[in-house]
Amino acid sequence: MLFWTSFFVFRRARVIAVTLYWLEASILRGGTVLLLTLTHRQEDSCPKRLLDQNHKWADDFEREHPGFFKKSAEHQHPKVLWLGCSDSRVPESVITAAFPGEIFVQRNIGNQCILIDDNFLSVLEYALSEHVGVEHVVITGHTNCGACQAALDAIHTPCPKPIPEPPTSLDRWLIPLINLARTLPPDEATVNVLVRKNIWQQVENMANSNPVQRNWRNGGNVSIHGWIYQLDNGYLTELFEIRKGDKIGGEA
């Protein structure tokens, strides 16, 4: 009896020992993999790369334009307010080869000028104030816009019978664009047709905004431009322009 008891105790101890060995080995291997993964991520970190590129850019720019940053830090006097889409492929300063300080910027999903949006209106009001004093507002849409495609998809998606989930912030933000998409004839309901129509709609909204109307009443001459950016060739093209005294309204 003692023999069998000792045997089972020995056997169980061996199993436990083997189990602990493999567990320790697994933890070590996992730790090594985790360490290698974290090291690789750190070396290939996008934020770190962007910081490194920024430092190189700043050094190169200062060599080419000595004293630029010191002078730029004192004030800004941009002539253009850019209202564009948040799309990462349409960075205003890059595609216009502009210097820092040349463009005052507001970007959002679908380059929309929503007249009850305080974020947009506060930027516009400050841009037109004496503190900044822009002379041109440029509203820039781009081909193959994801927001426009989402609006088209929404009008072609049948409403589900069950009560849908509460709308998200993005759902609410796209409502004006979805309503605009509904105005397109079926044979014209394509993403780039909606892109152009949206640019015109936002030019109109901008012209009817309180800050722009106040600028014109008080003797200002801010002009509003509607541009489109071609993703497939990198070119900007002006589609529309509204100046003080122009009739606002009509189709694009």
Side-chain angles (χ1 to χ4, degrees), residues 4-249:
W4 289 111
T5 304
S6 300
F7 174 78
F8 282 116
V9 169
F10 171 78
R11 188 176 179 182
R12 180 171 292 183
R14 184 180 178 185
V15 170
I16 293 173
V18 170
T19 303
L20 289 174
Y21 169 80
W22 284 109
L23 180 60
E24 182 180 6
S26 298
I27 292 173
L28 288 173
R29 286 198 303 272
T32 302
V33 171
L34 179 61
L35 180 61
L36 289 175
T37 302
L38 291 176
T39 302
H40 175 71
R41 287 182 179 175
Q42 186 178 11
E43 290 175 353
D44 193 34
S45 169
C46 181
K48 182 178 184 303
R49 176 172 55 82
L50 293 178
L51 286 172
D52 291 342
Q53 289 175 183
N54 162 258
H55 293 174
K56 183 179 185 306
W57 167 80
D59 292 341
D60 292 345
F61 197 90
E62 181 64 23
R63 278 194 296 271
E64 295 174 10
H65 309 280
F68 175 86
F69 291 111
K70 185 176 180 180
K71 183 178 180 181
S72 176
E74 296 172 358
H75 53 73
Q76 63 167 335
H77 295 295
K79 300 300 181 185
V80 171
L81 166 62
W82 177 286
L83 191 141
C85 184
S86 298
D87 193 294
S88 62
R89 299 165 294 180
V90 196
E92 66 290 330
S93 294
V94 175
I95 65 176
T96 59
F99 277 22
E102 287 192 277
I103 304 177
F104 203 67
V105 181
Q106 163 79 348
R107 293 171 66 179
N108 60 52
I109 302 295
N111 45 274
Q112 296 190 80
C113 307
I114 297 179
L115 299 182
I116 58 172
D117 175 30
D118 279 344
N119 185 293
F120 152 65
L121 289 173
S122 62
V123 171
L124 177 60
E125 185 173 330
Y126 188 67
L128 294 177
S129 72
E130 61 182 12
H131 303 290
V132 180
V134 302
E135 299 173 2
H136 306 272
V137 177
V138 175
I139 300 167
T140 305
H142 64 90
T143 55
N144 302 329
C145 177
C148 289
Q149 185 61 61
L152 290 171
D153 292 343
I155 66 174
H156 293 127
T157 301
C159 183
K161 291 183 180 179
I163 298 175
E165 294 181 359
T168 65
S169 297
L170 182 57
D171 293 333
R172 292 191 295 272
W173 181 260
L174 290 177
I175 287 173
L177 199 49
I178 293 171
N179 291 336
L180 186 63
R182 295 186 194 279
T183 67
L184 294 177
D187 60 336
E188 295 182 16
T190 64
V191 62
N192 287 333
V193 169
L194 182 56
V195 165
R196 287 174 175 258
K197 191 172 184 68
N198 182 47
I199 294 170
W200 172 248
Q201 181 64 60
Q202 306 316 319
V203 166
E204 278 197 325
N205 288 352
M206 184 70 74
N208 286 317
S209 68
N210 286 333
V212 168
Q213 290 291 319
R214 189 184 309 119
N215 175 273
W216 287 342
R217 286 195 306 270
N218 294 338
N221 291 292
V222 63
S223 59
I224 305 167
H225 309 258
W227 291 1
I228 187 169
Y229 177 72
Q230 297 287 146
L231 287 177
D232 59 357
N233 63 21
Y235 286 177
L236 284 163
T237 303
E238 181 160 277
L239 301 178
F240 316 108
E241 181 183 3
I242 290 181
R243 294 177 178 272
K244 183 170 68 173
D246 289 348
K247 182 180 178 181
I248 303 171

